[in-house]
Amino acid sequence: MAVAQWVKTLTFYEILVGMKATITVLIQRIILRNRKAITLQYPHEKRELPGTYRGMIALLRYDDGTDKCVGCDLCESACPSRVITVISSEVEGEPMKRYAKEYYMDMTRCLFCGLCVQACPVDALAMTTEYEWAKYNKRDLRLNKEQLLALGDRNFPVREKKLEFQHPNVAYFNIGHKNLPPKES
Amino acid sequence: MNPLLTKLKDRFPDAVLAVREEGPYKDLVAQVKPSALPAIARFLHDDPETAFDMLSDILSVDYPEDEDRFEVIYQLKSLPRNHRLRLKARVPEDNPTIPTVTSVWKGANFLEREVYDLMGITFAGHPDLRRILLPEDYEEGHPLRKDFPAEGRGWRSTFPFLPRLDEPASPAVAAGEIPEEQHRPFLKEAEGLPEDAQPVRRQEELLLNMGPQHPATHGVLRVVLELEGERIVKATPDLGYLHRGVEKLCEGLTYQQIIPHTDRLDYVCSMTNNYAYVRAVEKLLNITVPPRAEYIRTIVAEMQRIIGHLFWLGTQALDIGAMTVFFWTFREREVLLDLFEKLCGARLTLNYYRIGGVDSDFTPDLVQRLHAFLDTFPDHLREYDDLLLTNRIWLARTKNIAVISAEDAINFGCTGPVLRGSGVAYDVRKAEPYGAYDKVEWEVPIGKNGDTYDRYWVRLEEMRQSAKIIRQCLQLLPDGPIIADVPQVIPPPKQKVMRDMESLIHHFIIFTQGFKPPKGETYCASEAPKGELGFFIVSDGEPKPYRLKIRSPSFVHLGAFDHMARGYLIADTVTIFGTYDIVMGECDR
């Protein structure tokens, strides 16, 4: 036993075991080329992101181009870091319908937690897979409604169909949900 | 009435003002006189029937309307008896002084300093009562008092130490910070010496500043080392460089909104932070979670434990000088992070847990990928063993370094792998089972010597156990809902919101006002990869917590830093930082 220990000490056995693992990978990678590289050359190659990725937040539209947002302020109150400012107003000529006249998001403070998306009752908000939003001026990161809608148009080309529909319980929201109950007559 | 409380009341009939069992989980609470605290603490620590050998946490709550304004709360834990007790003492506003318990539990040192710093309660007899998280010359008051504004006092631009860009630079600063005559004093001293003067060998202790800008401090931690040669005589950690006041911040947020903020505590393992927090809220609300959600929670918490330990192994080895391990552990970590990304859309700040369940369900594809990971993971662990387990450099740097005995580790309040490395089989998952941990088979690995090598071995073994837990949980994973059906607390599913008036009302109320838990307090501990992570919540019936205290393992472990570092070399401080697995985001909160 002691002899074996001496031999191991003298031959740097345990270092060799470690080097074996390192060199095996090296040979597989460089000479045999049967092992794929794990690293990505980032700015040139990009990872494929899952659809559930929580990136920049966007405002969505219906297929006829009207915005989904009804200006209910739920996203503003759900936000843990007060990113969102909504100024809502009545739709002209339709006093029961409301929309967001102005909509601001201060992305410098956003936590990307997704609580606003969860809070939105009409699914007007969504999180995109965009992430490269570094700016030289931080004031550029306070997005207004046009920028947020543009983000939505860019990332969600397929828009939801707008249904003019009046549910007995829900007064005059624009509702675009799938699987809606049939209109009662 | 619990026999322990009866015994305490009989032993100290005058000093113990009230004893009660609180809440649906029957937390033991004893209200005591502050003057009798040391005697009671000594009794609770020494008596074999109570045996409260560990002080989990000390915190304070401010009640400005009450006669005795501040309440100091001691969370005690008994490892041999496996029970907890909450000791409470009230101190008045004009003389907020309470005797220290540092003579009973050494871990009280840092915890009492924190209470002094943030609430302004003086601990009579404390060996080193200074501010700990805030700067020592901070004069704005004590932030956790209710009359301190949540946005802070003073605007950033009025802080004298920040350079103001809109003002011209003062001439003293413009000419350089050191005046000309003070330049190069060492050369002057040498020039002033007579030629025949022999250099005198000075014998004095050297004060070395390590950090806050040091790559091995895992964030921003500064340690002032008093050295004799290369040996450490005394080490004084200086914390608070990453203090963001999360506890104060949480007092202004609803219970739901706090979940993303818990991600930022221990940013390496945010799943377990989420888990610890939502468990505390669920305990407060007394709601049960559906079984599928429990299993999913257990699986992702164990995935996070593997990620945390892989991250630890890589960085610890990198600190000591082994580069390869770092790359290899990050390879496996990447696989699991990809799974998280698929599951909840983020890689580090996950925000996956919800009060009463989880955010999204496992897909078959995800389960399959997780199985594939588990199949290859033991091989990868064997690779790390090849690199480190018997490597003589690794052994020389970790064996018999930073030894802490089991008694000391308990006395300092160490938990997690730091405690288990010393041979104490205390794991919150076994002692107070939660999730699905009592439904699967696994073991608590323990070390023998309490040195860095044993803690390394314990963590590696924990990864194997975690893989075992995940595999069993995946087999047992039942079908069913992933979130509890409590419409007053949990927002109803989106599909129902626009179809059902009641759901719409609940949805709006929960997101605008938040839910209102019953009045009461609760402490709930969970096993994070770093140790016992506890959340203490005081609710006054409002949608925002009245007080939220985070018992972070990293903070408590740093209290034992001086004890563990004394007598070792400077190079070993890096090893000791690593062996705690500290994350400063959690330590400074």
Side-chain angles (χ1 to χ4, degrees), chain B residues 90-145:
Chain B
R90 283 286 185 121
V91 286
E93 188 182 356
D94 47 346
N95 180 27
T97 310
I98 193 164
T100 176
V101 291
T102 39
S103 56
V104 185
W105 296 285
K106 285 183 248 173
N109 187 333
F110 265 41
L111 297 167
E112 284 180 352
R113 274 177 72 188
E114 189 198 335
V115 173
Y116 164 73
D117 186 2
L118 300 178
M119 198 63 99
I121 293 164
T122 321
F123 288 86
H126 189 282
D128 181 26
L129 197 64
R130 289 180 291 126
R131 284 190 183 267
I132 186 164
L133 293 176
L134 298 171
E136 274 176 46
D137 54 352
Y138 188 76
E139 285 167 353
E140 309 288 339
H142 301 283
L144 280 182
R145 290 190 176 184

Side-chain angles (χ1 to χ4, degrees), chain A residues 8-10 12-15 17-19 21-22 25 35 38 47-50 52-54 72 74 77-82 111-115 117-123 167 169-170 173 175 177 179-181, chain B residues 252-254 256-258 260-261 263-264 324 328 331 334 338 341-347 349-352 354 359 380 383 386-387 390-393 491 494-495 497-501 504 507-509 511-513:
Chain A
K8 278 186 179 179
T9 311
L10 289 174
F12 292 92
Y13 175 77
E14 74 282 347
I15 307 273
V17 170
M19 289 308 283
T22 312
V25 176
R35 200 183 174 107
I38 299 158
R47 290 179 60 244
E48 204 177 301
L49 294 173
T52 51
Y53 186 76
R54 300 207 307 257
C72 70
L74 263 196
S77 57
C79 180
S81 42
R82 298 180 200 166
L111 297 175
F112 298 96
C113 64
L115 279 183
V117 179
Q118 219 172 22
C120 185
V122 288
D123 283 345
H167 191 267
N169 285 338
V170 188
F173 277 136
I175 303 161
H177 261 297
N179 312 322
L180 281 167
Chain B
L253 295 170
T254 61
Q256 274 187 325
Q257 290 176 335
I258 294 172
H261 282 280
D263 285 339
R264 274 92 184 153
T324 316
W328 287 13
R331 176 186 62 192
E334 199 69 13
D338 282 349
E341 198 175 55
K342 180 89 183 147
L343 185 63
C344 55
R347 294 161 68 80
T349 50
L350 302 153
N351 188 24
Y352 176 61
R354 292 287 179 273
D359 184 28
H380 291 309
E383 282 180 351
D386 280 352
L387 288 174
T390 53
N391 187 318
R392 67 181 69 174
I393 306 170
K494 261 299 187 49
Q495 294 82 6
V497 170
M498 291 311 293
R499 298 174 58 180
D500 178 20
M501 194 63 189
L504 184 72
H507 184 87
F508 265 71
I509 287 179
F511 277 108
T512 48
Q513 299 168 11

Side-chain angles (χ1 to χ4, degrees), chain A residues 52-114:
Chain A
T52 51
Y53 186 76
R54 300 207 307 257
M56 291 296 282
I57 303 175
L59 277 174
L60 302 182
R61 292 183 212 256
Y62 287 112
D63 54 350
D64 61 351
T66 51
D67 27 311
K68 277 181 162 183
C69 179
V70 292
C72 70
D73 262 17
L74 263 196
C75 45
E76 192 177 328
S77 57
C79 180
S81 42
R82 298 180 200 166
V83 169
I84 305 171
T85 318
V86 188
I87 299 164
S88 74
S89 169
E90 280 173 12
V91 177
E92 256 177 70
E94 289 177 273
M96 294 295 278
K97 278 190 181 175
R98 296 184 76 83
Y99 76 112
K101 200 168 86 186
E102 290 172 55
Y103 196 104
Y104 295 104
M105 271 198 175
D106 183 359
M107 299 312 281
T108 54
R109 313 163 32 150
C110 184
L111 297 175
F112 298 96
C113 64

Side-chain angles (χ1 to χ4, degrees), chain B residues 290-354:
Chain B
R292 184 175 174 86
E294 285 279 25
Y295 275 92
I296 290 179
R297 283 173 169 207
T298 312
I299 292 169
V300 290
E302 289 310 308
M303 282 161 76
Q304 185 72 79
R305 191 180 311 279
I306 292 177
I307 290 176
H309 283 348
L310 283 174
F311 186 86
W312 164 82
L313 180 66
T315 48
Q316 162 88 318
L318 187 69
D319 286 346
I320 291 178
M323 193 90 185
T324 316
V325 190
F326 177 73
F327 291 125
W328 287 13
T329 54
F330 269 56
R331 176 186 62 192
E332 269 74 71
R333 185 170 172 266
E334 199 69 13
V335 178
L336 285 178
L337 288 184
D338 282 349
L339 290 182
F340 277 173
E341 198 175 55
K342 180 89 183 147
L343 185 63
C344 55
R347 294 161 68 80
L348 281 179
T349 50
L350 302 153
N351 188 24
Y352 176 61
Y353 287 71
R354 292 287 179 273

Side-chain angles (χ1 to χ4, degrees), chain B residues 109 111 162 178 194 202 223 311 569:
Chain B
N109 187 333
L111 297 167
L162 285 178
I178 306 165
R202 287 184 304 170
V223 181
F311 186 86
L569 301 175

